[in-house]
Amino acid sequence: MYTSPILKLGKRDGILARTTHPVVIAGPCSAESEAQMLQTARGLKKLQGVSIFRAGIWKPRTRPGTFQGMGTAGLEWLKTVKQETGLRTACEVAGTSHVAEALKHEVDVLIIGAHTTVNPFLVQEIADALKGVTIPVLVKNPVNPDLPLWLGALERLQQSGVSDLGAMHRGFSTLDNAPYRNHPKWDHVMELKSIHPDLPVYCDASHIAGRRSLLRPVSQRAISLGYDGLMLEAHHNPAAALSDAGQQLMPQELDMLLQSLNYESIDPEAARQGVEMEELRKQIEYLDDELLDLLSRRSKVSARMESFPKAGVAEALQVVHWDLVLENLLLQANSAGINKDFVQTVFQEVRKHYAQTYLYQA
Ligand code: PEP
Ligand code: MN
């Protein structure tokens, strides 16, 4: 269990904490044009539950030459959305110049992106730029599953006086993310929640899922775990989106998704146990792979023995040898607390399978 030098991160009476219903942040991955922003925002304004409109202004893209975001022009459109719909606005900031621009355009909530949370220098600069400013900040988890790094970013902001602070879970880059775009690793977030129970936690279902079909189960899991809010990307015409086209929903699709979620059955303990069970299942899968790998290595060694037939000795000797091996294995099983009959059966089967080879063992 990690600890935090700051005893209490976040607060329950800020705008990021859920009241009766979770807070829903929705909007396009990227601000593309004033028409796209307004059309999407007008659709979202009608949805019950959506209270914050997001849009990416500066986009962290993997390769140069792809769409990098519209920059300051996008902030003007965000301001127009706020004036016209009354929705609060949110955007990602990845440096001090972004902070200054966003504050100038009266953005209501700042988001620190996953690619920024990984960099303590940048986070500290942003935290310093926010000294004396009252604005809620949501900190996404770092790209890699590193809880102290996530905590560190939150602590830097809190130390700068940002008290309306929240954590946003957007999934992690792991060796095997399938079927997700970013693996949720729910247990990681459970640990954060247990260290800082007052810290509002959001789920960015879009960047975890990466595809529309997974948005519902990911959102439901977050709700069942008692998250304070959801963030879902929405676009009036997702197929034409300049970024993340495959994971954005039309406002009416988002409406259906939000209505299909079960908000009543919040049983964080049951959901926590479900998460743990999933982790244990993954461990079993991993160990089964290891077992298979061991059997394969064993079979290769056996195969090599077959190439030395002249080194063979009488089978009678092998019986004695095998009895000693088995006796030793059963003793080990006993001290490891594994059922001896089970171990005996397993090894006898393994031996039977490689009986041919045992003839040659010295
Ligand atoms: C985003 O929210 O559009 C985004 C780029 O997210 P992340 O920082 O999670 O990659
Ligand atoms: Mn996106």
Side-chain angles (χ1 to χ4, degrees), residues 29 54 59 181 207 233 243-244 247:
C29 177
R54 68 146 275 161
K59 300 306 296 177
R181 174 175 175 184
H207 290 89
E233 286 186 340
S243 57
D244 287 350
Q247 69 189 30

Side-chain angles (χ1 to χ4, degrees), residues 38-60:
L38 279 172
Q39 211 172 325
T40 306
R42 284 178 194 136
L44 293 173
K45 164 79 184 149
K46 294 188 208 131
L47 310 194
Q48 222 196 341
V50 176
S51 56
I52 303 176
F53 181 88
R54 68 146 275 161
I57 304 297
W58 304 275
K59 300 306 296 177

Side-chain angles (χ1 to χ4, degrees), residues 160-213:
S160 272
V162 178
S163 59
D164 205 351
L165 196 59
M168 188 180 284
H169 175 205
R170 55 77 83 185
F172 302 86
S173 205
T174 63
L175 281 179
D176 181 14
N177 287 336
Y180 305 100
R181 174 175 175 184
N182 291 293
H183 201 286
K185 285 186 70 54
W186 299 98
D187 57 320
H188 206 75
V189 185
M190 292 297 92
E191 197 169 346
L192 176 67
K193 271 170 79 76
S194 67
I195 302 170
H196 291 292
D198 285 337
L199 182 70
V201 175
Y202 279 61
C203 174
D204 172 356
S206 302
H207 290 89
I208 290 177
R211 61 178 95 174
R212 281 181 275 275
S213 59

